[in-house]
Short mmCIF file of all heavy atoms in Angstrom, two decimals:
data_model
loop_
_atom_site.label_atom_id
_atom_site.label_comp_id
_atom_site.label_asym_id
_atom_site.label_seq_id
_atom_site.Cartn_x
_atom_site.Cartn_y
_atom_site.Cartn_z
N ILE A 1 -12.59 11.56 -7.98
CA ILE A 1 -12.85 12.51 -9.06
C ILE A 1 -11.80 13.60 -9.03
O ILE A 1 -11.51 14.15 -7.96
CB ILE A 1 -14.25 13.14 -8.91
CG1 ILE A 1 -15.35 12.08 -8.89
CG2 ILE A 1 -14.50 14.18 -10.00
CD1 ILE A 1 -16.71 12.61 -8.46
N SER A 2 -11.26 13.93 -10.19
CA SER A 2 -10.38 15.09 -10.31
C SER A 2 -11.10 16.14 -11.14
O SER A 2 -11.46 15.88 -12.29
CB SER A 2 -9.05 14.71 -10.96
OG SER A 2 -8.20 15.83 -11.01
N VAL A 3 -11.33 17.28 -10.57
CA VAL A 3 -12.04 18.37 -11.26
C VAL A 3 -11.05 19.08 -12.17
O VAL A 3 -9.96 19.43 -11.75
CB VAL A 3 -12.66 19.34 -10.24
CG1 VAL A 3 -13.29 20.53 -10.92
CG2 VAL A 3 -13.67 18.62 -9.37
N ARG A 4 -11.44 19.28 -13.42
CA ARG A 4 -10.54 19.89 -14.41
C ARG A 4 -10.92 21.31 -14.80
O ARG A 4 -10.11 22.04 -15.33
CB ARG A 4 -10.47 19.04 -15.68
CG ARG A 4 -9.90 17.67 -15.44
CD ARG A 4 -8.43 17.79 -15.19
NE ARG A 4 -7.84 16.49 -14.95
CZ ARG A 4 -6.84 16.29 -14.13
NH1 ARG A 4 -6.32 17.28 -13.46
NH2 ARG A 4 -6.36 15.08 -13.94
N THR A 5 -12.18 21.70 -14.57
CA THR A 5 -12.62 23.05 -14.92
C THR A 5 -13.50 23.59 -13.79
O THR A 5 -14.09 22.82 -13.02
CB THR A 5 -13.43 23.07 -16.23
OG1 THR A 5 -14.60 22.28 -16.07
CG2 THR A 5 -12.60 22.54 -17.41
N VAL A 6 -13.61 24.90 -13.73
CA VAL A 6 -14.40 25.54 -12.68
C VAL A 6 -15.86 25.12 -12.78
O VAL A 6 -16.50 24.85 -11.76
CB VAL A 6 -14.24 27.08 -12.77
CG1 VAL A 6 -15.15 27.78 -11.76
CG2 VAL A 6 -12.79 27.47 -12.54
N ARG A 7 -16.40 25.01 -13.98
CA ARG A 7 -17.82 24.66 -14.15
C ARG A 7 -18.13 23.25 -13.64
O ARG A 7 -19.28 22.92 -13.40
CB ARG A 7 -18.24 24.79 -15.61
CG ARG A 7 -17.64 23.75 -16.53
CD ARG A 7 -18.04 23.93 -17.99
NE ARG A 7 -17.21 23.12 -18.85
CZ ARG A 7 -16.05 23.51 -19.37
NH1 ARG A 7 -15.58 24.70 -19.11
NH2 ARG A 7 -15.36 22.71 -20.14
N ASP A 8 -17.11 22.42 -13.46
CA ASP A 8 -17.32 21.04 -13.01
C ASP A 8 -17.26 20.87 -11.49
O ASP A 8 -17.50 19.78 -10.98
CB ASP A 8 -16.29 20.11 -13.66
CG ASP A 8 -16.47 19.99 -15.15
OD1 ASP A 8 -17.61 20.18 -15.63
OD2 ASP A 8 -15.48 19.71 -15.86
N ILE A 9 -16.96 21.93 -10.75
CA ILE A 9 -16.83 21.81 -9.29
C ILE A 9 -18.16 21.36 -8.66
O ILE A 9 -18.20 20.36 -7.94
CB ILE A 9 -16.35 23.13 -8.65
CG1 ILE A 9 -14.92 23.45 -9.09
CG2 ILE A 9 -16.42 23.03 -7.12
CD1 ILE A 9 -14.44 24.83 -8.65
N VAL A 10 -19.23 22.08 -8.92
CA VAL A 10 -20.52 21.77 -8.28
C VAL A 10 -21.03 20.39 -8.71
O VAL A 10 -21.39 19.57 -7.85
CB VAL A 10 -21.56 22.88 -8.55
CG1 VAL A 10 -22.95 22.45 -8.11
CG2 VAL A 10 -21.14 24.16 -7.85
N PRO A 11 -21.05 20.06 -10.02
CA PRO A 11 -21.51 18.71 -10.39
C PRO A 11 -20.66 17.60 -9.80
O PRO A 11 -21.19 16.56 -9.39
CB PRO A 11 -21.43 18.71 -11.92
CG PRO A 11 -21.47 20.14 -12.33
CD PRO A 11 -20.83 20.90 -11.21
N ALA A 12 -19.35 17.80 -9.72
CA ALA A 12 -18.48 16.76 -9.15
C ALA A 12 -18.77 16.56 -7.67
O ALA A 12 -18.84 15.42 -7.18
CB ALA A 12 -17.01 17.13 -9.36
N LEU A 13 -18.95 17.66 -6.94
CA LEU A 13 -19.25 17.54 -5.51
C LEU A 13 -20.62 16.91 -5.28
O LEU A 13 -20.79 16.07 -4.38
CB LEU A 13 -19.15 18.90 -4.82
CG LEU A 13 -17.74 19.48 -4.72
CD1 LEU A 13 -17.78 20.90 -4.18
CD2 LEU A 13 -16.85 18.60 -3.86
N ARG A 14 -21.61 17.28 -6.09
CA ARG A 14 -22.95 16.68 -5.96
C ARG A 14 -22.89 15.17 -6.23
O ARG A 14 -23.47 14.38 -5.49
CB ARG A 14 -23.94 17.37 -6.90
CG ARG A 14 -24.28 18.79 -6.47
CD ARG A 14 -25.19 19.48 -7.48
NE ARG A 14 -26.52 18.90 -7.50
CZ ARG A 14 -27.52 19.26 -6.70
NH1 ARG A 14 -27.33 20.20 -5.79
NH2 ARG A 14 -28.70 18.68 -6.79
N LYS A 15 -22.17 14.79 -7.30
CA LYS A 15 -22.04 13.37 -7.63
C LYS A 15 -21.34 12.62 -6.50
O LYS A 15 -21.75 11.52 -6.12
CB LYS A 15 -21.25 13.20 -8.93
CG LYS A 15 -21.01 11.76 -9.30
CD LYS A 15 -20.13 11.62 -10.53
CE LYS A 15 -19.86 10.15 -10.76
NZ LYS A 15 -18.78 9.92 -11.70
N ALA A 16 -20.28 13.20 -5.96
CA ALA A 16 -19.53 12.55 -4.89
C ALA A 16 -20.39 12.35 -3.65
O ALA A 16 -20.37 11.29 -3.02
CB ALA A 16 -18.28 13.37 -4.55
N ILE A 17 -21.17 13.36 -3.28
CA ILE A 17 -22.02 13.27 -2.09
C ILE A 17 -23.07 12.17 -2.26
O ILE A 17 -23.31 11.36 -1.36
CB ILE A 17 -22.65 14.63 -1.77
CG1 ILE A 17 -21.58 15.60 -1.29
CG2 ILE A 17 -23.77 14.49 -0.74
CD1 ILE A 17 -22.01 17.05 -1.22
N VAL A 18 -23.70 12.13 -3.43
CA VAL A 18 -24.70 11.09 -3.70
C VAL A 18 -24.04 9.72 -3.64
O VAL A 18 -24.57 8.78 -3.02
CB VAL A 18 -25.39 11.33 -5.07
CG1 VAL A 18 -26.19 10.11 -5.49
CG2 VAL A 18 -26.28 12.56 -5.00
N THR A 19 -22.88 9.58 -4.25
CA THR A 19 -22.17 8.29 -4.27
C THR A 19 -21.80 7.85 -2.86
O THR A 19 -21.91 6.67 -2.51
CB THR A 19 -20.91 8.38 -5.15
OG1 THR A 19 -21.30 8.75 -6.47
CG2 THR A 19 -20.17 7.06 -5.19
N ALA A 20 -21.34 8.78 -2.02
CA ALA A 20 -20.95 8.44 -0.65
C ALA A 20 -22.11 7.88 0.15
O ALA A 20 -21.92 7.02 1.02
CB ALA A 20 -20.36 9.66 0.05
N GLN A 21 -23.33 8.36 -0.14
CA GLN A 21 -24.49 7.95 0.65
C GLN A 21 -25.30 6.84 0.00
O GLN A 21 -26.12 6.21 0.66
CB GLN A 21 -25.38 9.17 0.88
CG GLN A 21 -24.71 10.22 1.72
CD GLN A 21 -25.55 11.47 1.86
OE1 GLN A 21 -26.12 11.95 0.89
NE2 GLN A 21 -25.64 11.99 3.07
N LEU A 22 -25.09 6.57 -1.27
CA LEU A 22 -25.89 5.60 -2.02
C LEU A 22 -25.48 4.17 -1.68
O LEU A 22 -24.29 3.87 -1.55
CB LEU A 22 -25.71 5.85 -3.52
CG LEU A 22 -26.70 5.19 -4.46
CD1 LEU A 22 -28.10 5.74 -4.23
CD2 LEU A 22 -26.28 5.45 -5.90
N GLY A 23 -26.45 3.29 -1.54
CA GLY A 23 -26.15 1.89 -1.25
C GLY A 23 -25.42 1.76 0.06
O GLY A 23 -25.82 2.31 1.08
N THR A 24 -24.32 1.04 0.04
CA THR A 24 -23.48 0.95 1.23
C THR A 24 -22.69 2.24 1.33
O THR A 24 -21.89 2.55 0.45
CB THR A 24 -22.50 -0.25 1.12
OG1 THR A 24 -23.25 -1.45 0.96
CG2 THR A 24 -21.63 -0.34 2.36
N PRO A 25 -22.91 3.02 2.39
CA PRO A 25 -22.19 4.29 2.50
C PRO A 25 -20.68 4.08 2.59
O PRO A 25 -20.20 3.03 3.01
CB PRO A 25 -22.73 4.88 3.81
CG PRO A 25 -23.99 4.15 4.08
CD PRO A 25 -23.82 2.78 3.49
N GLY A 26 -19.94 5.10 2.20
CA GLY A 26 -18.49 5.02 2.26
C GLY A 26 -17.84 6.32 1.83
O GLY A 26 -18.50 7.28 1.45
N PRO A 27 -16.51 6.34 1.87
CA PRO A 27 -15.79 7.57 1.53
C PRO A 27 -15.68 7.79 0.01
O PRO A 27 -15.71 6.84 -0.77
CB PRO A 27 -14.40 7.32 2.13
CG PRO A 27 -14.25 5.85 2.17
CD PRO A 27 -15.63 5.29 2.36
N VAL A 28 -15.57 9.04 -0.36
CA VAL A 28 -15.31 9.46 -1.74
C VAL A 28 -14.22 10.53 -1.69
O VAL A 28 -14.05 11.21 -0.68
CB VAL A 28 -16.57 10.01 -2.44
CG1 VAL A 28 -17.62 8.92 -2.62
CG2 VAL A 28 -17.16 11.18 -1.69
N PHE A 29 -13.50 10.67 -2.80
CA PHE A 29 -12.41 11.65 -2.85
C PHE A 29 -12.60 12.56 -4.06
O PHE A 29 -12.84 12.08 -5.16
CB PHE A 29 -11.06 10.93 -2.95
CG PHE A 29 -9.89 11.86 -3.10
CD1 PHE A 29 -9.56 12.77 -2.11
CD2 PHE A 29 -9.10 11.83 -4.25
CE1 PHE A 29 -8.48 13.62 -2.26
CE2 PHE A 29 -8.02 12.68 -4.40
CZ PHE A 29 -7.70 13.58 -3.40
N VAL A 30 -12.52 13.86 -3.82
CA VAL A 30 -12.58 14.85 -4.90
C VAL A 30 -11.32 15.69 -4.84
O VAL A 30 -11.02 16.31 -3.81
CB VAL A 30 -13.83 15.75 -4.80
CG1 VAL A 30 -13.81 16.81 -5.90
CG2 VAL A 30 -15.10 14.91 -4.89
#
């Protein structure tokens, strides 16, 4: 994920954390 605006920082990090732990765990990049 590439964050483009300040308001998107928290939602992007929340989405990335959920994705990293969902199903088969793995790395995510923000």
